Amino acid sequence: MSAKSVPSSLTARVATLAWPILIGQLAVISNGVIDTIMTARYSAIDLAALGLGASVYVSIFVGLSGVMQALSPTIAQLYGAKKWAAIGNETRQGVWLALFLTLIGAVALCFPEPLLNIAQASTELNDKVLLYLQLLALALPATLGFRVYASLNTAISRPRMVMVLQLSALMLKIPLNLLFIFGGLGLPAWGAPGCAMATAISAWLALLAGWLILRHQAFYRQFNLFGQGLGRPDLPAIRALLRLGVPVGLSFLIEVTAFTFMALFIARLGSDTLAAHQITANFGTVLYMLPLSIASATCTLVAQEVGSGRLADARRIGNAGVRLGVLLSVGIGIIVWLGREKIIGWYTPDSRVAAAAMPLFFFIAFYQLFDSAQVGTAYVLRAYKVATIPTLMYAIALWGVGLGGGYLIGFDVLGVTPPGSRARPASGWVIV
């Protein structure tokens, strides 16, 4: 094999694994896009409630889901080492971990008042957000359980059925949203909380489908997933998952809460401003799925090579994956900036919300370069089970410089912000 063909073949391996992950992740994120678009056509206050509630939910779910991310590189290393029985045991311990995290998350979703108090929202808005979050607590066991299924399949380079289930859940979400947001078949119109009910139903059906596939498809029998029950929790195995998963979960939490608290602070500026932030943050999340999917595929392939002892190949795959993510993301960022007016129009017909969102799109286009580079390198490190140092860097950059700087500038805490720049949502986006 020539020297020139090696990078090309490695890039192709990453891309082959990444595209089903990307489509699946886009399907997941499209749930939020659909929620935003449909709720925007119901009422402005419900769109604001969705933005605030989704910010709180995502902070909780992404943090817990991040802990579950430890499963993928762990199983991928075992797959590279051809330790089939150990994969079954790790999967069962992943189920125990998901159950434990569900208890924590459900409590936070049912009693979110400390976070909601920061927003200082109206009683009507606050009540809608509270119901939205409590309904999402019903979905949490299913969404975390599905992460076990998805992590297993991604780790063994079989993400396509995960993609199919995620797309199917999205297709189901659309009619369920129509039913619960706008009412019908004897049901009242719920507005934003209706999105949460639709999410819960589709999540449980996706989990059931995933369980049936694992139970009945012949390929998975080699891993001994069934036949011995769930068994008892293996504390050393769970501790090993937590050693990797907790820093990963914290890094996810840090990244998302930077935007969550930005939304809580922006809520003080009114419903139109919060709605503009919701649109921008939602589309920024969609863009993030491209480098994230490439990073996830890269992590899987690097971990498999590490498990098989081929460390030089692991390094080359890592470099190829990071390079691919950066190049594609920069191109996407340029397209977004040029088409920002049309993109915002897809979200909302409200001219005031659109005008508030327009300047924010500069930031999500600009930081594609840096976002893709950091997520790519972070996931490569996770393949080697290194996560603590990147988490510390996230905390300093996003919580310290980003969120803290945005608050100080946006609300002129130090009395040095130019008057024309005060209390604007762009202040937070500039720093983050």
Side-chain angles (χ1 to χ4, degrees), residues 12-84:
R13 286 183 63 189
V14 174
T16 299
L17 184 58
W19 76 260
I21 299 175
L22 173 60
I23 293 176
Q25 288 297 325
L26 286 175
V28 172
I29 295 302
S30 294
N31 283 275
V33 175
I34 289 170
D35 287 350
T36 301
I37 292 173
M38 296 177 74
T39 305
R41 281 151 177 79
Y42 183 77
S43 76
I45 191 168
D46 278 270
L47 180 59
L50 178 68
L52 187 55
S55 296
V56 174
Y57 172 73
V58 168
S59 299
I60 295 169
F61 173 72
V62 167
L64 299 178
S65 180
V67 177
M68 298 296 299
Q69 290 285 329
L71 264 181
S72 191
T74 300
I75 294 175
Q77 287 194 9
L78 294 173
Y79 188 71
K82 303 186 186 319
K83 296 180 179 179
W84 312 133

Side-chain angles (χ1 to χ4, degrees), residues 10 13-14 73 75-82 155 157 297-318 383-384:
L10 295 178
R13 286 183 63 189
V14 174
I75 294 175
Q77 287 194 9
L78 294 173
Y79 188 71
K82 303 186 186 319
S157 300
T298 303
C299 176
T300 294
L301 295 174
V302 170
Q304 289 176 358
E305 298 298 331
V306 170
S308 65
R310 296 188 291 267
L311 299 183
D313 287 342
R315 184 180 66 254
R316 285 193 289 270
I317 290 173
Y384 292 93

Side-chain angles (χ1 to χ4, degrees), residues 128-153:
K128 285 180 177 290
V129 174
L130 183 60
L131 178 57
Y132 173 86
L133 293 174
Q134 290 173 342
L135 288 172
L136 282 177
L138 300 175
L140 190 61
T143 51
L144 290 180
F146 191 81
R147 290 314 311 158
V148 177
Y149 171 79
S151 295
L152 169 62
N153 281 273

Side-chain angles (χ1 to χ4, degrees), residues 351-365:
S351 59
R352 293 180 302 176
V353 174
M358 188 71 69
L360 301 183
F361 264 61
F362 168 76
F363 303 107
I364 62 172

